[in-house]
Amino acid sequence: MDYPIARRPGFDPPAEFAVMRDESPVCPVSLRHGQEAHLVTRYADVRAVLRDHGRFSSDPSRAGFPQLRPVVDRRAAPGSFLVTDPPEHTRYRRLLTGEFTVRRMNALRPEVERITRERLATLRSGPRPADLVTGFALPVPSDVICLLLGVPVSDQEFFSTRSRAHLDRTLSAEQVQTALDELHGYLEDLIRARRESPRDDLVSRLVREPGLTDEEAVGMTVLLLVGGHETTANSIALSVLALQRDRAQWQALVARPGLVDNAVEELLRYLSPVHQGVVRAVAGEATVGGTVLGAGEGVIASLFAANRDPAAFPEPDRLDLRRNARSHLAFGTGVHQCVGHLLARWEMRVALRALVTDLPTLRLAVPFEEVEFKFDAPIYGLRSLPVTW
């Protein structure tokens, strides 16, 4: 079976995932560069793989590391904590832990709310129908990550287009590498500027860390910049569409905005925006789902399939805003759990609460069948979402 598996418009994973969970929970698949790997689809197995960083490596230089990107990663770039193992990963994460604590997120919340209000006011004052993606869902997390990192908001278009190209699986390796090189060059200039003239932002604090090179700071900032707005932007837009597809779901939040916090967890489980999975190389013999894997083999842990596993979430294909879904794996788990998951949750909560409170009559401006999904990236989303009110 070739992987990734083609998807149809809508929120459900490919039907093959359910068959694999039942019949072949560790299924051999063929990848774009001619590699073979094992796709893991059961919740318990995915969780076990992601939490065992001893036998399952995130390092692309390891034999068997599954290559899903157009650009083949032969080794981890300096600072790329997403694709490093402890102790190097531990060193990088320690530099960021204090930036994403509950206390720091609480302090940032007034700014998230201000940005959300301003972007919503701009959307409301503009023409109708409006595109919720470009008018609200993308600008809100982009503004927030700009503020956090110290990136000028005026440069938002530059880094947004480069980060989207970085994640676009339809582009050639050369196009992806060009976009990444341009983004690196921009951040190298920013880091040099912050070394010379520090400010109260994350990049300024990073470059003051002893022993951290500019190259490592660039690698860390790229991950934060790309991951800090793409995933959340797509999650906001997808959440609104899911709620609008069944207007009773939208009306439930309009009537009781206090349900938003719980609804966000269920929406993250149901949507699972990181839909192509998390890759690992087998570093030492391990048994997963009854299958013995040897060192040098590759594993793809499907967060999407795990979050739709009926053994973990009864009636998993039903969106239930009152479900206790906090154990979902949308942000991963273990030492590589998304470092910005608290920020992403805050942004989604604030954005959805503002929409159901201030724009309760929001509705789709086109039939659901005409909404264009974007599946050609590891984080799926919508190309646009025409709405009116």
Side-chain angles (χ1 to χ4, degrees):
M1 179 183 294
D2 291 338
Y3 192 84
I5 302 169
R7 293 189 57 185
R8 294 176 291 277
F11 308 109
D12 292 334
E16 291 91 335
F17 280 13
V19 176
M20 284 187 281
R21 268 197 314 264
D22 289 341
E23 300 176 4
S24 182
V26 182
C27 182
V29 292
S30 300
L31 310 184
R32 65 185 300 158
H33 297 291
Q35 277 186 296
E36 299 293 320
H38 300 274
L39 181 66
V40 180
T41 50
R42 288 179 181 170
Y43 178 92
D45 295 336
V46 168
R47 187 175 184 275
V49 167
L50 297 184
R51 295 179 70 86
D52 187 348
H53 61 265
R55 286 181 292 183
F56 296 95
S57 171
S58 301
D59 185 349
S61 68
R62 287 270 193 174
F65 185 87
Q67 301 284 348
L68 297 182
R69 298 177 61 226
V71 176
V72 175
D73 297 311
R74 298 298 182 190
R75 62 182 181 85
S80 294
F81 54 88
L82 194 64
V83 287
T84 54
D85 294 327
E88 194 73 353
H89 172 266
T90 308
R91 181 172 75 91
Y92 291 140
R93 285 286 291 231
R94 278 200 189 116
L95 300 180
L96 297 172
T97 301
E99 300 290 340
F100 294 97
T101 60
V102 172
R103 181 178 179 182
R104 183 62 64 90
M105 293 303 99
N106 284 336
L108 188 63
R109 181 169 183 172
E111 289 299 306
V112 175
E113 292 173 337
R114 175 189 61 79
I115 288 168
T116 302
R117 286 194 305 271
E118 291 175 357
R119 287 295 185 174
L120 188 55
T122 301
L123 181 78
R124 294 177 68 178
S125 63
R128 285 178 275 179
D131 180 9
L132 194 77
V133 172
T134 58
F136 184 75
L138 183 59
V140 167
S142 295
D143 286 356
V144 172
I145 200 65
C146 279
L147 175 70
L148 190 66
L149 294 177
V151 174
V153 175
S154 58
D155 293 339
Q156 187 180 104
E157 179 64 20
F158 174 89
F159 74 73
S160 291
T161 55
R162 273 64 178 182
S163 67
R164 282 196 294 273
H166 175 51
L167 297 172
D168 192 336
R169 299 298 195 240
T170 67
L171 299 180
S172 67
E174 292 75 17
Q175 290 171 307
V176 173
Q177 191 61 56
T178 296
L180 193 55
D181 289 344
E182 291 173 347
L183 188 56
H184 274 234
Y186 172 87
L187 292 171
E188 286 168 2
D189 291 341
L190 178 68
I191 285 167
R192 278 194 293 269
R194 291 297 180 267
R195 282 203 186 277
E196 295 171 5
S197 180
R199 299 181 184 178
D200 184 20
D201 56 47
L202 191 152
V203 171
S204 296
R205 288 188 287 274
L206 265 186
V207 299
R208 289 199 299 267
E209 290 291 340
L212 189 74
T213 67
D214 283 3
E215 201 176 11
E216 289 176 318
V218 167
M220 296 177 75
T221 308
V222 165
L223 292 179
L224 295 172
L225 196 57
V226 175
H229 76 281
E230 281 290 336
T231 309
T232 309
N234 291 343
S235 297
I236 291 171
L238 288 167
S239 294
V240 171
L241 181 59
L243 294 167
Q244 290 287 336
R245 189 180 189 185
D246 178 358
R247 284 285 295 182
Q249 304 274 19
W250 177 263
Q251 295 296 346
L253 292 187
V254 169
R256 291 189 59 190
L259 288 175
V260 164
D261 288 6
N262 197 76
V264 163
E265 300 302 322
E266 169 66 352
L267 285 161
L268 285 165
R269 179 203 69 83
Y270 180 75
L271 298 169
S272 297
V274 184
H275 69 139
Q276 291 182 358
V278 178
V279 296
R280 296 287 187 266
V282 182
E285 184 176 297
T287 301
V288 179
T291 299
V292 178
L293 302 176
E297 297 190 79
V299 167
I300 303 168
S302 174
L303 308 180
F304 208 159
N307 282 336
R308 293 296 188 95
D309 187 345
F313 304 100
E315 296 183 79
D317 296 328
R318 181 170 66 90
L319 180 63
D320 179 1
L321 302 185
R322 290 176 171 79
R323 184 197 305 266
N324 179 4
R326 286 196 65 86
S327 59
H328 67 76
L329 299 176
F331 294 111
T333 186
V335 298
H336 281 281
Q337 183 181 36
C338 173
V339 69
H341 71 93
L342 291 177
L343 177 60
R345 285 179 158 108
W346 273 126
E347 290 173 317
M348 288 184 67
R349 291 168 184 170
V350 171
L352 288 179
R353 189 174 285 107
L355 288 171
V356 299
T357 302
D358 298 342
L359 269 184
T361 60
L362 185 78
R363 63 186 186 278
L364 299 184
V366 297
F368 176 82
E369 292 72 23
E370 293 182 15
V371 176
E372 190 177 358
F373 283 77
K374 180 177 62 178
F375 291 134
D376 48 14
I379 305 165
Y380 83 101
L382 306 174
R383 300 197 183 279
S384 65
L385 183 59
V387 296
T388 190
W389 53 90

